[in-house]
Amino acid sequence: MSWFRVPTWCMGMHTEESAPRARAWVYLLGAWNAGDNPSTREVRRVTGFGQGRADALVRDVRAWAVENGA
């Protein structure tokens, strides 16, 4: 398995509110790095997010990944 990039904020100290978001970012970036392309339904299952939050997650993570060569 190769290394993959994540935003630095994902690796810092987290509150109960921010930890699920950080875990979701790491999960999705790791899945893409491994060659997987999880559906929004799979993202919802893994993260426990609702549809709107999962859609926003995929959109935001994709934009960050493109901008940062991840």
Side-chain angles (χ1 to χ4, degrees), residues 20-40:
R21 180 173 175 245
R23 284 192 301 270
W25 273 67
V26 172
Y27 155 71
L28 192 52
L29 288 165
W32 288 340
N33 185 66
D36 297 333
N37 190 19
S39 66
T40 305

mmCIF file of all heavy atoms in Angstrom, residues 20-40:
data_model
loop_
_atom_site.group_PDB
_atom_site.id
_atom_site.type_symbol
_atom_site.label_atom_id
_atom_site.label_comp_id
_atom_site.label_asym_id
_atom_site.label_seq_id
_atom_site.Cartn_x
_atom_site.Cartn_y
_atom_site.Cartn_z
ATOM 1 N N PRO A 20 -15.593 12.581 13.699
ATOM 2 C CA PRO A 20 -16.226 11.808 12.624
ATOM 3 C C PRO A 20 -15.913 12.363 11.234
ATOM 4 O O PRO A 20 -15.728 11.602 10.285
ATOM 5 C CB PRO A 20 -17.724 11.916 12.928
ATOM 6 C CG PRO A 20 -17.798 12.191 14.390
ATOM 7 C CD PRO A 20 -16.585 13.034 14.685
ATOM 8 N N ARG A 21 -15.827 13.677 11.122
ATOM 9 C CA ARG A 21 -15.494 14.296 9.833
ATOM 10 C C ARG A 21 -14.075 13.916 9.414
ATOM 11 O O ARG A 21 -13.837 13.548 8.264
ATOM 12 C CB ARG A 21 -15.636 15.811 9.934
ATOM 13 C CG ARG A 21 -15.320 16.534 8.654
ATOM 14 C CD ARG A 21 -15.638 18.030 8.766
ATOM 15 N NE ARG A 21 -15.233 18.724 7.583
ATOM 16 C CZ ARG A 21 -14.276 19.642 7.532
ATOM 17 N NH1 ARG A 21 -13.650 19.999 8.637
ATOM 18 N NH2 ARG A 21 -13.952 20.220 6.404
ATOM 19 N N ALA A 22 -13.125 13.995 10.341
ATOM 20 C CA ALA A 22 -11.741 13.636 10.036
ATOM 21 C C ALA A 22 -11.641 12.165 9.630
ATOM 22 O O ALA A 22 -10.973 11.829 8.647
ATOM 23 C CB ALA A 22 -10.842 13.922 11.239
ATOM 24 N N ARG A 23 -12.315 11.292 10.359
ATOM 25 C CA ARG A 23 -12.292 9.859 10.010
ATOM 26 C C ARG A 23 -12.889 9.627 8.632
ATOM 27 O O ARG A 23 -12.390 8.802 7.862
ATOM 28 C CB ARG A 23 -13.052 9.044 11.059
ATOM 29 C CG ARG A 23 -12.283 8.847 12.340
ATOM 30 C CD ARG A 23 -12.934 7.804 13.238
ATOM 31 N NE ARG A 23 -14.301 8.143 13.613
ATOM 32 C CZ ARG A 23 -14.645 8.833 14.684
ATOM 33 N NH1 ARG A 23 -13.722 9.262 15.512
ATOM 34 N NH2 ARG A 23 -15.909 9.084 14.957
ATOM 35 N N ALA A 24 -13.959 10.345 8.304
ATOM 36 C CA ALA A 24 -14.600 10.195 6.994
ATOM 37 C C ALA A 24 -13.661 10.631 5.877
ATOM 38 O O ALA A 24 -13.580 9.967 4.835
ATOM 39 C CB ALA A 24 -15.898 10.995 6.953
ATOM 40 N N TRP A 25 -12.943 11.730 6.073
ATOM 41 C CA TRP A 25 -11.982 12.188 5.062
ATOM 42 C C TRP A 25 -10.886 11.143 4.857
ATOM 43 O O TRP A 25 -10.546 10.811 3.719
ATOM 44 C CB TRP A 25 -11.354 13.513 5.490
ATOM 45 C CG TRP A 25 -12.141 14.718 5.085
ATOM 46 C CD1 TRP A 25 -13.370 15.097 5.547
ATOM 47 C CD2 TRP A 25 -11.749 15.706 4.141
ATOM 48 N NE1 TRP A 25 -13.763 16.260 4.948
ATOM 49 C CE2 TRP A 25 -12.783 16.666 4.086
ATOM 50 C CE3 TRP A 25 -10.624 15.891 3.351
ATOM 51 C CZ2 TRP A 25 -12.711 17.775 3.257
ATOM 52 C CZ3 TRP A 25 -10.554 17.002 2.526
ATOM 53 C CH2 TRP A 25 -11.595 17.922 2.483
ATOM 54 N N VAL A 26 -10.334 10.627 5.941
ATOM 55 C CA VAL A 26 -9.263 9.637 5.831
ATOM 56 C C VAL A 26 -9.789 8.370 5.170
ATOM 57 O O VAL A 26 -9.122 7.779 4.309
ATOM 58 C CB VAL A 26 -8.633 9.349 7.211
ATOM 59 C CG1 VAL A 26 -7.658 8.175 7.144
ATOM 60 C CG2 VAL A 26 -7.938 10.597 7.743
ATOM 61 N N TYR A 27 -10.985 7.940 5.546
ATOM 62 C CA TYR A 27 -11.584 6.754 4.918
ATOM 63 C C TYR A 27 -11.700 6.942 3.409
ATOM 64 O O TYR A 27 -11.283 6.086 2.619
ATOM 65 C CB TYR A 27 -12.972 6.469 5.512
ATOM 66 C CG TYR A 27 -13.863 5.711 4.564
ATOM 67 C CD1 TYR A 27 -13.611 4.366 4.278
ATOM 68 C CD2 TYR A 27 -14.910 6.331 3.904
ATOM 69 C CE1 TYR A 27 -14.395 3.675 3.366
ATOM 70 C CE2 TYR A 27 -15.696 5.648 3.000
ATOM 71 C CZ TYR A 27 -15.439 4.329 2.736
ATOM 72 O OH TYR A 27 -16.200 3.642 1.822
ATOM 73 N N LEU A 28 -12.287 8.057 2.979
ATOM 74 C CA LEU A 28 -12.546 8.255 1.555
ATOM 75 C C LEU A 28 -11.247 8.419 0.770
ATOM 76 O O LEU A 28 -11.078 7.801 -0.293
ATOM 77 C CB LEU A 28 -13.461 9.459 1.355
ATOM 78 C CG LEU A 28 -14.061 9.635 -0.033
ATOM 79 C CD1 LEU A 28 -14.763 8.362 -0.519
ATOM 80 C CD2 LEU A 28 -15.054 10.793 -0.021
ATOM 81 N N LEU A 29 -10.313 9.215 1.264
ATOM 82 C CA LEU A 29 -9.029 9.361 0.569
ATOM 83 C C LEU A 29 -8.280 8.032 0.507
ATOM 84 O O LEU A 29 -7.681 7.695 -0.515
ATOM 85 C CB LEU A 29 -8.176 10.438 1.261
ATOM 86 C CG LEU A 29 -8.663 11.872 1.056
ATOM 87 C CD1 LEU A 29 -7.991 12.803 2.056
ATOM 88 C CD2 LEU A 29 -8.425 12.339 -0.370
ATOM 89 N N GLY A 30 -8.338 7.261 1.584
ATOM 90 C CA GLY A 30 -7.691 5.944 1.588
ATOM 91 C C GLY A 30 -8.334 4.979 0.617
ATOM 92 O O GLY A 30 -7.642 4.217 -0.067
ATOM 93 N N ALA A 31 -9.661 5.002 0.550
ATOM 94 C CA ALA A 31 -10.367 4.124 -0.389
ATOM 95 C C ALA A 31 -9.984 4.460 -1.821
ATOM 96 O O ALA A 31 -9.683 3.564 -2.622
ATOM 97 C CB ALA A 31 -11.882 4.244 -0.199
ATOM 98 N N TRP A 32 -9.995 5.745 -2.144
ATOM 99 C CA TRP A 32 -9.612 6.148 -3.504
ATOM 100 C C TRP A 32 -8.163 5.777 -3.793
ATOM 101 O O TRP A 32 -7.850 5.317 -4.879
ATOM 102 C CB TRP A 32 -9.814 7.648 -3.691
ATOM 103 C CG TRP A 32 -11.242 8.065 -3.785
ATOM 104 C CD1 TRP A 32 -12.322 7.281 -4.098
ATOM 105 C CD2 TRP A 32 -11.765 9.376 -3.566
ATOM 106 N NE1 TRP A 32 -13.474 8.021 -4.078
ATOM 107 C CE2 TRP A 32 -13.159 9.319 -3.757
ATOM 108 C CE3 TRP A 32 -11.184 10.577 -3.214
ATOM 109 C CZ2 TRP A 32 -13.980 10.425 -3.628
ATOM 110 C CZ3 TRP A 32 -12.000 11.691 -3.079
ATOM 111 C CH2 TRP A 32 -13.386 11.616 -3.286
ATOM 112 N N ASN A 33 -7.271 5.955 -2.820
ATOM 113 C CA ASN A 33 -5.872 5.609 -3.009
ATOM 114 C C ASN A 33 -5.698 4.115 -3.276
ATOM 115 O O ASN A 33 -4.826 3.718 -4.041
ATOM 116 C CB ASN A 33 -5.051 6.020 -1.791
ATOM 117 C CG ASN A 33 -3.578 5.782 -1.995
ATOM 118 O OD1 ASN A 33 -2.963 6.422 -2.832
ATOM 119 N ND2 ASN A 33 -3.012 4.869 -1.254
ATOM 120 N N ALA A 34 -6.547 3.309 -2.664
ATOM 121 C CA ALA A 34 -6.472 1.858 -2.845
ATOM 122 C C ALA A 34 -7.122 1.401 -4.155
ATOM 123 O O ALA A 34 -7.145 0.210 -4.452
ATOM 124 C CB ALA A 34 -7.139 1.156 -1.667
ATOM 125 N N GLY A 35 -7.672 2.345 -4.924
ATOM 126 C CA GLY A 35 -8.295 2.000 -6.193
ATOM 127 C C GLY A 35 -9.782 1.738 -6.093
ATOM 128 O O GLY A 35 -10.412 1.367 -7.083
ATOM 129 N N ASP A 36 -10.356 1.912 -4.915
ATOM 130 C CA ASP A 36 -11.793 1.720 -4.742
ATOM 131 C C ASP A 36 -12.520 3.009 -5.103
ATOM 132 O O ASP A 36 -11.955 4.094 -5.049
ATOM 133 C CB ASP A 36 -12.120 1.349 -3.296
ATOM 134 C CG ASP A 36 -11.501 0.027 -2.886
ATOM 135 O OD1 ASP A 36 -11.275 -0.831 -3.761
ATOM 136 O OD2 ASP A 36 -11.234 -0.138 -1.680
ATOM 137 N N ASN A 37 -13.764 2.883 -5.449
ATOM 138 C CA ASN A 37 -14.609 4.043 -5.723
ATOM 139 C C ASN A 37 -15.947 3.803 -5.022
ATOM 140 O O ASN A 37 -16.932 3.446 -5.667
ATOM 141 C CB ASN A 37 -14.796 4.247 -7.228
ATOM 142 C CG ASN A 37 -15.461 5.559 -7.546
ATOM 143 O OD1 ASN A 37 -15.487 6.470 -6.724
ATOM 144 N ND2 ASN A 37 -16.014 5.656 -8.735
ATOM 145 N N PRO A 38 -15.965 3.986 -3.691
ATOM 146 C CA PRO A 38 -17.184 3.673 -2.950
ATOM 147 C C PRO A 38 -18.353 4.550 -3.378
ATOM 148 O O PRO A 38 -18.186 5.741 -3.629
ATOM 149 C CB PRO A 38 -16.805 3.937 -1.497
ATOM 150 C CG PRO A 38 -15.620 4.838 -1.554
ATOM 151 C CD PRO A 38 -14.928 4.540 -2.838
ATOM 152 N N SER A 39 -19.508 3.943 -3.478
ATOM 153 C CA SER A 39 -20.719 4.687 -3.795
ATOM 154 C C SER A 39 -21.088 5.564 -2.604
ATOM 155 O O SER A 39 -20.616 5.353 -1.490
ATOM 156 C CB SER A 39 -21.863 3.718 -4.088
ATOM 157 O OG SER A 39 -22.190 2.990 -2.906
ATOM 158 N N THR A 40 -21.954 6.526 -2.850
ATOM 159 C CA THR A 40 -22.431 7.363 -1.756
ATOM 160 C C THR A 40 -23.126 6.496 -0.708
ATOM 161 O O THR A 40 -23.008 6.741 0.495
ATOM 162 C CB THR A 40 -23.391 8.452 -2.272
ATOM 163 O OG1 THR A 40 -22.722 9.187 -3.282
ATOM 164 C CG2 THR A 40 -23.807 9.392 -1.167
#
